[in-house]
Amino acid sequence: MTIVELGLPKRLVEFTVDGQAVSVPEGATILDACSAVGKEIPTLCYGDTLKPANACRVCMVEVEGSRTLVPSCSRKAEPGMVVHTDSERTRTSRKVVLELLGSATDLSTTPGVAEWMAEAGADPERFGPPAPPSDDRDDALPGEHEPVDGLTAATVRQPVKVDNALYVRDYGKCILCYKCVDACGDQWQNSFAISVAGRGFGARISTEFSTPLPDSACVYCGNCVEVCPTGALSFKAEHDKREDGTWDESAQTETTTVCTFCGVGCNLTLHVQDNEIVKVTSPHDSSVTHGNLCIKGRFGWQHVQNT
Amino acid sequence: MKRRKDTTPYTRLTEPLVRDSGVLRPATWEEALDRAAAGFRRTLDTKGPEGFGMFSCARSTNEMNYVAQKFTRAVMGTNNVDSCNRTCHAPSVAGLARVFDSGGGTSSYAEIEDSDVIVIWGGNPREAHPIFFQHVLKAVHKGAKLFVVDPRQTSTAKWAHRQLQLEVGTDIPLANAIAREIIHSGLANTTFIERATEGYEEFAASVEPWTLEVAEQVTKVPAELIKELAHTYARADRGQMSWTLGITEHHNGTDNVLSLINLSLLAGQVGRYGAGLNPLRGQNNVQGGGDMGAIPDRMPGFQDILDPAVRAKFDEAWGSHIPPYKGKNLTQMLEAMEDGLITCVYVIGENPVQSEADCEHTIKRLSNIEHLVVQDIFLTKTAQLADVVLPASAAWCESDGTFTNSERRVQRVRKAVNPPAGARDDIEVISELARRLGHDWHYSGDDGREVWDELRSLSPIHTGMSYERLEELGGIQWPCYSEDTLEPSFLHARLWAEDPAERGRPAPFTVLRHSPPVDVLDDEFPLRLTTGRRLDSYNTGVQSGGFPSPRRRGETLDLCSADAAQLGVVEDEMVQISSRRGAIVAPVRIDEGLRPGLAFMTFHFPDEVDVNVITIEATDPVAGTAEYKAAAIRVDKLSSGGPGGLAPRLGSGARPQKTQFDAVAG
C-alpha cells in the first residue's frame, strides 16, 4: 500500500498583480502570489514560519477599491482582486516607512534594506541628526514622553546588552516586528521570556521587569535570533566577530546536517568560516524543526573545535 | 545561580596513542593501526571469535554502524556487537519487536500535532527532547489533552492537563489498573482486540486484582486520576503514548514497555494516523545504530539473525560465516570481561566508564582485559584505559552519511568542516583494520554513499532511500521498499486490515507482574534517588561541557524542602549521598517538584560528581538495561571540611586505575 498525502483539495483564486494574471491556491496571500510570479516585495516583519504580525508596513500594496493600502504579507488573495505593487501611493508609502524606520533605527545589519532605500529614494537623514543613545529607555513608563525640541531625530538607540555568553541584544536595531516575541511565545517555543513593554515610541522588547537574560525565563534556544530580521538579536560569536572585523559572510559556507545530541533529529545548518563553525541556524522547511532548535543544537557545537 | 567551577573542556585527539609499559604515548597511524590489528589477531588465535566484543556508536552515522557490525561479523566472526542503546532504549526495541516484529516508534511528529490525547510516561521532553515537545504543544494549543506520568513534577508536567505523580517503579501496577478500568468501563476496543490481538483473556484476568483502590495504595496516584486517564485515552479518536527512560531504565524495563503496549492494544490506539506508541530516543542515532545491525540479535534492516536465509544473504555478500546464534549484548559483554571470556574490546565513540551504572565496577572490567582499542574524538575516561587510542572525526559535522531519528526518519548528515589534522574518518579507520586482517573492502572513505548503497542492497526497509531521494524529500521514514514508493507515516496499519492474511501475526497482550525496584528502601537507605537530564547538558557532559551555558549549574542533589528540613540541610550545603555501592558529595538544591522521599540528580558532571558511583547495576533480563532510575540512598551532613572527611571504604568518583596518562604534546 502506498499513501501519498495530498491534503485537502484547494480552489485556485485568480486575480491580477500589476496587470499580470496570477492564480494561487485559496488561502495564499498577495505576498505569496507575488513570490510565485517572481515579483519581489520588500518586507521586514514577514516570517515564513510565523503568523503575519503586520508590523513593519514595508510590504504595503494597493488594492483597487480599498480605502487604505493593505499589507501584502497578511492580506489573502481574493478572486478578481486588482493589485498594484508599484503605484505612486505604494512608492510614497514605502519611501516614508523606510525613512521613519531608518531615522529611528540602526539598519546597518539589515539585509537588503540599503537597496530598497535607494530604489525608493528614501532619505532617513532628512529628519535631522539622530538623538544620542538613551540609557534609561527600559525604565520608561507607558505614556511617559520627553518633550522634543525638533533638533534631532528621535531614535531607539540604547547601549548594546551583553549579559550572557550566548546572545547579544542590540535594541538600537529593533524595529518592533514582534517576530522574536512570537517565536518565544505560543507559536513555537512557549517560553514567554520576552514581550513588548511600553507604548507608542517608548515601546520596546523586554524581559519581565527588564531583568538580564540569565535571570529571565530565557532557555537560550536562539529561536528569536533565528527570526530577527535586523540583527538586533545576534549570537555572541557573530557579534564578537563583527566587532573585531573578522565576520565575513562571503567567505562562509552553509551546510545542513543533523544535530548530534538527542534522537529528535533536528536539522542544523552550519555556517562555517575558515573551517570553523561560527553560527548555527535551522532550515525553516524542515518537518522536524520548522527552523527551531534548543540550546544544545544551537550552541553545542564548540566541542568539535576545542583543540 | 552558577556554582559550577570552570572546568577545562575536553580537547580533540589529534594523534594516535599506544600503551608502552603502562603509559600511553603518541604513535603514528601506521604503528597504532598495526598494534590494534595485531591485538585483534592474537585474540582470534588464542580465544577465537567469541573473545572479541564491539561497542559501536549510537552517535555516529548509519554508515559507520553498518561497517562496525560488518567488521564484527565478517572480520572477527562474532555477533558480539552492541551500543549504548543498551543503557537507554533497548527495552523499547525489545518490547516493540516482541509485539509488532519491529523495534521503531510507530508514529510521526506531524501526527502528534493531530492527536487528541497524548500520554507522556516517564519522560521529560520539555528538557530532554525540546523540539519534539514543540510538536506536542502544537497539539495542546489545538485542544489535545496532555497526561504526564512521572514521579517528579517536571517542566513537561507543568504543561499537562493532568499529572500522575507515581511512586518510582510502580509503572506496571498503574498500567494494569488503567487496563482494568478500561475493561470494566466497557471501553476496550473489542473489534480490534478480536481481530488483531491474542492473549486478551489471560491478560484481562491478570489485571483483575488491580482495582483503582489497590493501585492508589501502591502507586500513590489518586484513583480518580487513574480513572480519568483510562477513560480519556480509551475514548480518544487518536491517542498517543510516548515514553523515555523513566520506563526503560528499570530492572524490568522491557515489562514496563510491554505494559504501555498492552494499553494501546486494549484501546486500539496503534496502527492508525495519529494513534501510536513512541519511545523518544536519547541519542542522535541510537535508532539507526540498531537498524544497522549494531546489536547482537539483528542483522541490518532489523532482520532476524536466527533466520538462515537472512544469514545466507549476508554471508554471500560479505564472504563471511555469521554465527547462527545471538551475540552478547553490552551488559553481557561486560560480564564476560569479568569472567575472562572476552579479552579484547573495540570501543568506538562510547564512554562506558562514565555512562554505565556502578562505574567503579566497569573500570575494573575494562582494566581486566588484554586488548582495548578505543576510537574517539576525545581522550575520555574510557580511552584513558585503552591499549590503543585512535583519534576519530566527529560524525555529525565532519563526515557524510545518514542518521535515523525517533520517528524513523533517515536524514542526510553532511561534512561541513574538516576534522583536525591527525584525526581520521571512522569508516576509513575500521576499513584499515579490516584490511590488516585480510578483508579489503575498498570503501573510498570520504563519502558514505558506497556503504549506504551496499546497505540498501541488503536491507529491504532501506532499499528505496537513495541519497538523492533523501535530499529531495527532506529525509524518508522507514520502511521504504523501493525508489518510487513511500509508505504511510505510521507503522502497523496491517492490524486494521479486513483480510486476515494481510493482518498477519496478531499482536500479543503480555501478562505482567509488579516487581518493585531492586534497591529496597530501609532505615539505612531511606530515600529514593532517580536520575535524568537537564535542558542544557547531555549525558556524561563530554560534548555539552564544551560550550558556555548561562543555565548550567553543575551537579546538585535535588530535594523537596520538607526532606531538606528533616535532614537539617539547606540549599547549597554540601552533603554526602551514599548508597549500598558508594558515596559522593554534592550541594543540595531545593526542588518543590519532588515529593517527600524522592531525590533527583543528573549524570552530566561525572568528573565532578560521579552519580553512577551510587546507581545500581541491577539489569533488565530481556534487554540488559540498568536500573538508573531507582537507587536507595541516604543523605548525611558533612561533619567537617568536605569530601576529605569521607569514610575510606567509599568510592570518590571514577579514577581510571590502569593508566598514568602522560600529557601528549600539543
Side-chain angles (χ1 to χ4, degrees):
Chain A
M1 178 173 63
T2 297
I3 294 177
V4 177
E5 281 178 41
L6 297 171
L8 291 172
K10 281 186 176 164
R11 283 185 305 178
L12 286 178
V13 176
E14 296 179 7
F15 67 109
T16 66
V17 176
D18 297 337
Q20 183 180 356
V22 293
S23 67
V24 289
E26 199 174 22
T29 62
I30 295 173
L31 188 66
D32 294 332
C34 290
S35 308
V37 297
K39 200 176 280 293
E40 197 203 331
I41 307 278
T43 169
L44 289 170
C45 75
Y46 169 77
D48 55 356
T49 60
L50 298 165
K51 291 178 194 136
N54 298 308
C56 77
R57 317 312 275 182
V58 178
C59 75
M60 305 299 278
V61 296
E62 187 172 357
V63 172
E64 280 186 19
S66 169
R67 184 177 59 82
T68 58
L69 298 180
V70 302
S72 65
C73 65
S74 65
R75 182 63 174 265
K76 299 214 172 19
E78 293 160 39
M81 230 178 198
V82 179
V83 177
H84 301 284
T85 69
D86 199 20
S87 67
E88 192 185 340
R89 282 181 78 194
T90 64
R91 281 195 302 270
T92 308
S93 163
R94 191 164 301 148
K95 173 173 176 290
V96 174
V97 165
L98 288 171
E99 283 174 339
L100 290 172
L101 283 174
S103 78
T105 324
D106 172 5
L107 297 179
S108 62
T109 51
T110 306
V113 81
E115 295 84 70
W116 302 339
M117 291 244 192
E119 210 169 287
D123 174 21
E125 312 288 313
R126 72 183 170 101
F127 305 108
S134 157
D135 283 334
D136 54 2
R137 215 178 128 70
D138 284 347
D139 304 328
L141 296 171
E144 238 181 21
H145 290 293
E146 295 286 323
V148 290
D149 57 15
L151 297 176
T152 54
T155 76
V156 297
R157 288 204 294 164
Q158 60 164 303
V160 179
K161 292 181 199 296
V162 187
D163 55 16
N164 69 88
L166 301 177
Y167 297 175
V168 172
R169 295 177 291 154
D170 183 356
Y171 285 134
K173 292 177 173 172
C174 176
I175 58 163
L176 282 181
C177 70
Y178 288 70
K179 285 163 89 170
C180 57
V181 176
D182 288 344
C184 187
D186 65 358
Q187 291 191 31
W188 292 112
Q189 179 55 31
N190 293 280
S191 284
F192 307 96
I194 46 175
S195 190
V196 177
R199 294 287 181 276
F201 198 73
R204 70 271 174 192
I205 305 296
S206 179
T207 57
E208 61 274 26
F209 304 109
S210 50
T211 57
L213 271 192
D215 299 333
S216 75
C218 177
V219 293
Y220 304 92
C221 62
N223 297 332
C224 55
V225 185
E226 174 89 39
V227 297
C228 178
T230 65
L233 302 177
S234 67
F235 300 116
K236 180 125 190 324
E238 173 176 346
H239 174 83
D240 291 350
K241 278 193 153 40
R242 282 185 189 275
E243 287 284 290
D244 65 20
T246 53
W247 182 259
D248 182 5
E249 255 163 46
S250 67
Q252 290 173 10
T253 55
E254 293 180 22
T255 309
T256 298
T257 185
V258 179
C259 180
T260 184
F261 290 103
C262 80
V264 174
C266 296
N267 287 232
L268 305 180
T269 300
L270 306 182
H271 300 239
V272 174
Q273 183 178 325
D274 296 332
N275 203 45
E276 183 194 2
I277 302 168
V278 292
K279 179 159 89 170
V280 172
T281 56
S282 180
H284 292 195
D285 61 355
S286 158
S287 68
V288 177
T289 68
H290 301 283
N292 298 287
L293 294 172
C294 78
I295 181 172
K296 296 187 292 292
R298 190 78 71 179
F299 300 106
W301 38 268
Q302 185 55 41
H303 66 276
V304 296
Q305 45 203 41
N306 285 340
T307 50
Chain B
M1 198 186 314
K2 276 183 294 178
R3 292 192 206 88
R4 181 182 162 81
K5 30 183 203 300
D6 281 332
T7 50
T8 322
Y10 281 86
T11 55
R12 292 290 298 267
L13 275 169
T14 52
E15 56 189 348
L17 307 171
V18 297
R19 185 176 299 279
D20 272 335
S21 329
V23 177
L24 283 173
R25 64 154 173 86
T28 63
W29 268 100
E30 269 316 281
E31 184 187 12
L33 288 168
D34 286 347
R35 278 244 206 155
F40 294 157
R41 195 177 300 110
R42 203 164 52 238
T43 303
L44 285 176
D45 292 345
T46 57
K47 279 277 177 189
E50 297 304 320
F52 174 82
M54 167 75 88
F55 290 17
S56 188
C57 182
R59 322 299 314 284
S60 192
T61 58
N62 286 328
E63 288 74 2
M64 160 8 241
N65 275 283
Y66 174 83
V67 172
Q69 61 84 35
K70 181 177 172 182
F71 180 90
T72 311
R73 294 188 164 111
V75 178
M76 300 305 288
T78 170
N79 290 314
N80 295 342
V81 53
D82 206 359
S83 75
C84 67
N85 72 81
R86 202 57 53 191
T87 56
C88 56
H89 265 300
S92 303
V93 175
L96 288 165
R98 182 190 290 184
V99 178
F100 303 111
D101 297 318
S102 164
T106 75
S107 302
S108 304
Y109 303 154
E111 290 173 43
I112 307 255
E113 297 181 12
D114 293 330
S115 301
D116 38 28
V117 173
I118 300 167
V119 181
I120 295 178
W121 195 314
N124 185 13
R126 179 66 163 161
E127 297 199 36
H129 303 87
I131 299 302
F132 169 80
F133 200 63
Q134 285 193 1
H135 293 273
V136 173
L137 287 174
K138 285 266 174 210
V140 169
H141 291 321
K142 276 159 66 175
K145 290 275 176 288
L146 175 64
F147 287 80
V148 172
V149 184
D150 201 299
R152 297 189 295 144
Q153 193 189 49
T154 58
S155 48
T156 302
K158 287 176 184 163
W159 285 95
H161 294 85
R162 294 287 181 269
Q163 189 197 354
L164 283 68
Q165 231 173 321
L166 82 175
E167 194 81 354
V168 173
T170 61
D171 304 87
I172 288 171
L174 183 60
N176 280 353
I178 293 168
R180 184 184 183 278
E181 179 62 25
I182 291 174
I183 294 167
H184 278 254
S185 309
L187 293 170
N189 190 327
T190 47
T191 313
F192 180 77
I193 293 168
E194 278 162 27
R195 274 196 191 170
T197 70
E198 63 185 15
Y200 170 72
E201 296 301 330
E202 297 89 310
F203 171 70
S206 76
V207 299
E208 202 46 41
W210 291 105
T211 60
L212 295 176
E213 293 70 29
V214 172
E216 173 169 336
Q217 270 187 350
V218 174
T219 65
K220 304 285 196 298
V221 178
E224 64 266 28
L225 282 184
I226 304 177
K227 184 174 173 183
E228 186 175 349
L229 194 162
H231 285 241
T232 315
Y233 179 68
R235 286 176 190 276
D237 280 342
R238 293 175 301 277
Q240 282 287 340
M241 181 73 77
S242 188
W243 67 91
T244 66
L245 309 189
I247 279 293
T248 60
E249 282 184 351
H250 287 279
H251 72 282
N252 54 346
T254 305
D255 282 356
N256 283 345
V257 171
L258 289 165
S259 76
L260 303 188
I261 296 176
N262 281 339
L263 297 180
S264 78
L265 297 178
L266 199 54
Q269 297 290 17
V270 64
R272 292 181 289 115
Y273 181 88
L277 291 156
N278 292 292
L280 297 173
R281 311 306 302 257
Q283 264 119 0
N284 53 348
N285 200 31
V286 65
Q287 179 71 51
D291 298 344
M292 290 302 112
I295 43 177
D297 56 347
R298 297 279 176 168
M299 295 300 289
F302 222 69
Q303 298 172 86
D304 192 348
I305 203 150
L306 301 179
D307 181 343
V310 166
R311 287 197 310 278
K313 176 171 71 172
F314 283 92
D315 281 339
E316 193 188 343
W318 295 347
S320 57
H321 304 281
I322 299 164
Y325 45 84
K326 296 176 181 179
K328 293 186 174 64
N329 66 34
L330 192 132
T331 313
Q332 292 162 338
M333 283 194 262
L334 285 165
E335 283 162 10
M337 288 177 217
E338 188 162 345
D339 301 339
L341 298 173
I342 286 183
T343 56
C344 171
V345 174
Y346 186 3
V347 177
I348 303 178
E350 298 268 308
N351 190 9
V353 163
Q354 290 185 312
S355 59
E356 291 299 305
D358 196 355
C359 58
E360 299 280 6
H361 199 181
T362 307
I363 293 172
K364 222 169 285 168
R365 289 163 161 181
L366 282 168
S367 309
N368 200 25
I369 61 174
E370 285 165 21
H371 189 56
L372 175 62
V373 177
V374 175
Q375 184 168 318
D376 208 301
I377 64 174
F378 297 122
L379 191 72
T380 60
K381 289 284 187 292
T382 305
Q384 290 175 32
L385 297 177
D387 297 287
V388 180
V389 179
L390 303 169
S393 56
W396 67 282
C397 62
E398 295 170 354
S399 72
D400 279 292
T402 55
F403 290 161
T404 307
N405 74 0
S406 285
E407 57 167 1
R408 297 168 282 105
R409 183 179 300 278
V410 177
Q411 304 187 94
R412 281 282 278 113
V413 168
R414 297 180 183 86
K415 179 173 178 167
V417 287
N418 293 316
R424 288 196 190 176
D425 185 77
D426 285 311
I427 294 176
E428 186 190 328
V429 176
I430 303 168
S431 303
E432 276 296 313
L433 290 171
R435 196 173 60 74
R436 281 167 168 75
L437 294 164
H439 294 254
D440 199 347
W441 291 333
H442 303 291
Y443 294 131
S444 66
D446 55 349
D447 171 359
R449 182 188 304 262
E450 257 179 286
V451 176
W452 184 247
D453 287 344
E454 180 179 316
L455 172 272
R456 288 172 58 213
S457 73
L458 292 163
S459 166
I461 64 171
H462 294 99
T463 300
M465 301 180 185
S466 65
Y467 272 11
E468 287 74 17
R469 216 170 166 224
L470 291 175
E471 169 102 35
E472 181 191 346
L473 298 173
I476 300 175
Q477 292 171 282
W478 63 249
C480 178
Y481 301 109
S482 77
E483 287 208 51
D484 46 16
T485 56
L486 284 176
E487 300 298 312
S489 59
F490 55 92
L491 296 181
H492 315 316
R494 66 173 175 91
L495 294 172
W496 293 89
E498 297 279 335
D499 175 9
E502 197 185 324
R503 280 204 299 274
R505 181 173 81 96
F509 280 96
T510 316
V511 171
L512 299 164
R513 197 174 52 83
H514 175 37
S515 170
V518 174
D519 214 11
V520 292
L521 301 180
D522 59 15
D523 289 345
E524 197 185 350
F525 298 102
L527 288 172
R528 179 62 72 202
L529 173 73
T530 193
T531 60
R533 280 183 184 163
R534 288 205 192 110
L535 174 67
D536 61 346
S537 292
Y538 186 78
N539 289 6
T540 60
V542 169
Q543 291 170 300
S544 55
F547 79 100
S549 165
R551 292 174 62 87
R552 192 174 297 138
R553 56 176 173 242
E555 192 61 81
T556 55
L557 172 75
D558 297 1
L559 295 169
C560 68
S561 53
D563 278 347
Q566 201 184 348
L567 291 160
V569 298
V570 294
E571 183 140 87
D572 291 339
E573 178 176 345
M574 297 296 282
V575 292
Q576 176 178 303
I577 307 129
S578 18
S579 75
R580 297 187 173 91
R581 291 151 297 282
I584 53 177
V585 171
V588 170
R589 177 174 164 263
I590 304 297
D591 179 357
E592 298 300 356
L594 293 164
R595 280 197 317 216
L598 182 65
F600 175 81
M601 299 188 84
T602 76
F603 41 93
H604 295 318
F605 309 99
D607 294 345
E608 293 154 35
V609 181
D610 203 345
V611 176
N612 281 338
V613 166
I614 60 173
T615 52
I616 181 166
E617 215 195 349
T619 51
D620 176 63
V622 184
T625 302
E627 192 159 63
Y628 295 89
K629 295 295 183 194
I633 60 162
R634 65 178 294 114
V635 174
D636 293 299
K637 283 178 85 75
L638 289 183
S639 42
S640 60
L646 286 187
R649 71 177 174 91
L650 302 168
S652 58
R655 291 289 173 273
Q657 299 173 340
K658 186 172 168 181
T659 310
Q660 289 305 311
F661 173 69
D662 278 4
V664 178

